[in-house]
């Protein structure tokens, strides 16, 4: 159990890199659609290279096709989540946007309790309440961007929250599906194929041409942190805690670390001002996550 929690904490550290990549794309007005597609392609290539040397799935493809479909759908939702998050970060405080969107980890937590028998202890229920309280406090923060209504950044932020919640629930299912022994590389590959499919589906509706110029550093950063997290840390940690009947804490632990880490990054490196309200929201979310883990 402890090993699983440590792997999830390391995952959260890696996910800070995702927040930094999205924030950089929003600040420099980079083409995040292309960044997601290119980084996904690199991750798929790495996953296929690994799967050539060891079987990615036990139990046969036909009976596990539905669960593979859910993981693929997680990638589609994840693409939409980052796209909406970039839009919100251009209008609002980046740390607040990241905190609200990542607080969607209450969705797989609730799924674990409702559908898979995870015990709803008083500590966990209080933890969920604190996370929701933190989201509410974050949403009360004004944009800070001149000429932008204080509420406008909330629309893409909460849409990103919804997309993130669906992505996490779909991606969490293989850890509960006992008949499916899916490798970390296959899960990562399916998620990224979903990202690439969502990118392809949106191409006919793009008003601008693809702009790969200036994006490659961000592409490699996004690919590197996701390969490190997905291949080595996250899915292994998720499986370990699920085996101990605590699969629903996987996302809360990882994302709690990423929320706290990105807030520190914003304060130290971006000098982005944080009000007492924002720090109270962050403290509420982190305290809630701590209770979820107990």
């Amino acid at each position: 159990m402890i090993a699983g929690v440590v792997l999830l904490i390391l995952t959260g550290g890696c996910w800070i890199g995702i927040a930094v990549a999205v924030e950089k794309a929003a600040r420099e007005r980079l083409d995040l659609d292309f960044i997601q597609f290119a980084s996904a392609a690199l991750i798929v290539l790495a996953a296929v290279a690994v799967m050539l040397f060891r079987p990615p799935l036990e139990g046969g493809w036909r009976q596990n096709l539905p669960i593979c479909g859910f993981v693929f759908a997680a990638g589609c939702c994840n693409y939409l989540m980052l796209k909406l998050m970039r839009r919100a970060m251009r209008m609002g405080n980046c740390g607040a946007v990241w905190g609200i969107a990542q607080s969607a980890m209450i969705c797989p937590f609730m799924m674990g309790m409702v559908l898979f028998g995870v015990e709803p202890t008083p500590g966990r229920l209080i933890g969920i309440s604190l996370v929701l309280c933190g989201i509410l406090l974050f949403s009360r923060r004004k944009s800070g961007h001149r000429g932008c209504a204080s509420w406008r950044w909330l629309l893409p932020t909460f849409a990103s929250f919804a997309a993130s919640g669906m992505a996490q629930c779909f991606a969490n299912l293989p850890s509960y599906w006992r008949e499916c022994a899916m490798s970390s590389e296959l899960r990562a590959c399916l998620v990224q194929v979903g990202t690439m499919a969502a990118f392809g589906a949106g191409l006919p509706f793009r008003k601008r041409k693809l702009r790969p110029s200036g994006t490659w550093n961000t592409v490699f950063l996004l690919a590197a942190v996701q390969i490190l997290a997905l291949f080595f840390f996250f899915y292994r940690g998720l499986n370990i805690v699920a085996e101990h009947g605590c699969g629903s804490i996987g996302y809360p632990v990882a994302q709690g670390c990423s929320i706290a880490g990105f807030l520190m990054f914003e304060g130290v490196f971006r000098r982005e001002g944080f009000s007492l309200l924002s720090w109270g929201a962050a403290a509420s979310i982190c305290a809630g996550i701590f209770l979820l883990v107990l």
Side-chain angles (χ1 to χ4, degrees):
M1 178 67 177
I2 295 177
V5 173
V6 170
L7 289 172
L8 293 170
I9 291 172
L10 292 174
T11 300
C14 292
W15 283 353
I16 297 171
I18 299 177
V20 171
V22 177
E23 184 266 350
K24 186 174 187 292
R27 180 167 42 85
E28 300 180 8
R29 296 184 179 272
L30 301 177
D31 190 339
L32 184 62
D33 292 349
F34 175 80
I35 291 170
Q36 289 200 72
F37 172 78
S39 64
L42 292 176
I43 296 168
V44 168
L45 289 175
V48 170
V50 173
M51 288 188 292
L52 289 175
F53 297 95
R54 60 184 179 192
L57 185 68
E58 295 180 12
W61 286 94
R62 179 175 296 180
Q63 69 183 55
N64 289 304
L65 196 59
I67 203 71
C68 291
F70 280 117
V71 180
F72 171 86
C76 298
C77 293
N78 195 64
Y79 173 86
L80 180 61
M81 180 265 291
L82 292 181
K83 188 177 178 71
L84 290 164
M85 190 184 297
R86 173 186 176 273
R87 181 178 300 176
M89 283 183 173
R90 288 177 60 181
M91 295 186 288
N93 179 278
C94 294
V97 172
W98 180 253
I100 291 175
Q102 295 307 295
S103 296
M105 41 61 178
I106 65 172
C107 298
F109 186 84
M110 293 297 296
M111 181 185 74
M113 290 195 299
V114 173
L115 299 179
F116 297 104
V118 175
E119 184 181 359
T121 63
R124 289 171 179 170
L125 294 176
I126 294 172
I128 290 176
S129 299
L130 286 173
V131 170
L132 291 174
C133 179
I135 294 172
L136 179 62
L137 290 174
F138 264 140
S139 69
R140 299 291 297 173
R141 192 188 191 283
K142 294 184 178 180
S143 166
H145 289 243
R146 292 182 180 179
C148 179
S150 61
W151 54 267
R152 284 185 59 194
W153 67 283
L154 291 174
L155 298 179
T157 299
F158 281 108
S160 177
F161 174 93
S164 178
M166 288 189 292
Q168 292 176 42
C169 287
F170 292 154
N172 217 11
L173 287 175
S175 293
Y176 291 108
W177 202 284
R178 299 300 184 186
E179 294 79 12
C180 177
M182 186 183 298
S183 71
S184 298
E185 293 78 21
L186 178 58
R187 290 170 77 168
C189 183
L190 289 171
V191 168
Q192 303 309 318
V193 170
T195 294
M196 295 170 69
F199 169 82
L203 276 180
F205 304 99
R206 280 184 64 98
K207 297 179 180 180
R208 297 181 180 179
K209 294 182 179 179
L210 292 177
R211 296 177 289 111
S213 177
T215 64
W216 291 105
N217 287 340
T218 309
V219 167
F220 289 123
L221 170 63
L222 195 58
V225 296
Q226 292 197 83
I227 287 173
L228 189 60
L230 300 180
F231 286 23
F232 301 102
F233 301 146
F234 181 55
Y235 293 131
R236 286 181 169 83
L238 206 57
N239 289 339
I240 291 173
V241 295
E243 288 172 1
H244 288 79
C246 301
S248 63
I249 74 169
Y251 274 100
V253 173
Q255 293 189 322
C257 294
S258 74
I259 291 171
F262 185 62
L263 289 174
M264 293 176 62
F265 173 85
E266 285 287 290
V268 174
F269 294 100
R270 297 285 184 247
R271 306 290 183 182
E272 187 165 342
F274 253 68
S275 65
L276 184 62
L277 185 68
S278 297
W279 284 114
S284 180
I285 289 175
C286 291
I289 291 166
F290 176 76
L291 290 176
L292 291 177
V293 175
L294 292 179

